[in-house]
Amino acid sequence: MNAAGWLRPGLKQALSCCLLVTMFQPLTGCDSDSRKANARLRREVHDLQAKVSGLEQRDAELRVQLSRIEQDDPEIDSEILSSTPRVMAISLSPYSGVQRTDEDRTTIEVFAAAVDGRNRPLQMVGSLRAVAVAIPADGPPVELGAVSLSPAQVRDAWRNVFGSPSYLIEVPLDRPLPESAQSVHVRVFHEDARTGRILEAAADVRPKDDPVEVE
């Protein structure tokens, strides 16, 4: 059995446990004991869902690693290739937000980060693209601005945000920020140069009073 096969039983077991806990979760009670029991079961369900997500991420990373073993130089040790971390997910930091430059042109500062299959920080190698849109209460979304970073620009965009490694993406807006907009929806796409996979993350960012200090 290969390494991916070892993960699948654990993934199935975690899913089964998650479903059982959900099925037997009691209805909302009126007394304190019922509320405590419900809160405990909700925490257990949340923890199991996190474990399932982690197992799925590790399984996906293992599949990518095994596929690379088949494609790369057969003289390279397979254990080294299978132990090489790959970017499996990207996310946007809550420190992302809207900034205004001296010229009064609105700029969105987006901090993106990547993790491997074990949810550990990992550097990105590849391109990044960010798109900012306004989503009105009625009508279609309106694109406010977009920017693309080459692999070299991505490497230069690395920042240390309060001890958390991230990549700063500055998105200048081509249109004024709508006065009624409480937030701006940002989508970021990363094309991994090592695997060819395209990863995506999205978040709503809000105006910030002060810029984030980064190294």
Side-chain angles (χ1 to χ4, degrees), residues 87 89-93 111-115 121-122 124 128 164-167 188 201:
V87 174
I90 64 173
S91 62
L92 303 186
S93 167
F111 292 95
V115 294
L122 193 65
M124 299 187 201
L128 278 171
S164 177
S166 303
Y167 291 84
V188 173

Side-chain angles (χ1 to χ4, degrees), residues 97-100 177 181-184 205-209:
V98 177
Q99 302 290 340
R100 285 177 172 78
L177 187 65
Q182 298 297 316
S183 64
V184 177
V205 300
R206 298 178 179 275
K208 297 187 300 183
D209 295 332

Side-chain angles (χ1 to χ4, degrees), residues 60-149:
E61 182 184 48
L62 189 55
R63 292 174 183 274
V64 171
Q65 292 169 336
L66 293 175
S67 67
R68 296 301 301 178
I69 290 175
E70 297 175 355
Q71 299 173 20
D72 288 330
D73 189 342
E75 294 183 1
I76 298 178
D77 187 85
S78 60
E79 183 179 0
I80 294 176
L81 286 173
S82 63
S83 300
T84 302
R86 312 285 182 178
V87 174
M88 300 310 298
I90 64 173
S91 62
L92 303 186
S93 167
Y95 298 118
S96 301
V98 177
Q99 302 290 340
R100 285 177 172 78
T101 63
D102 295 336
E103 294 78 16
D104 200 31
R105 182 177 186 181
T106 304
T107 300
I108 303 245
E109 289 188 344
V110 180
F111 292 95
V115 294
D116 64 5
R118 299 188 180 185
N119 204 37
R120 296 169 179 170
L122 193 65
Q123 290 191 358
M124 299 187 201
V125 178
S127 61
L128 278 171
R129 176 172 172 78
V131 180
V133 299
I135 304 178
D138 52 351
V142 179
E143 182 174 319
L144 302 176
V147 67
S148 296
L149 302 183

Side-chain angles (χ1 to χ4, degrees), residues 5-16 51-52 55:
W6 286 103
L7 285 179
R8 295 194 190 97
L11 183 58
K12 293 179 180 178
Q13 182 180 5
L15 283 169
S16 300
K51 290 179 181 178
V52 169
L55 285 171

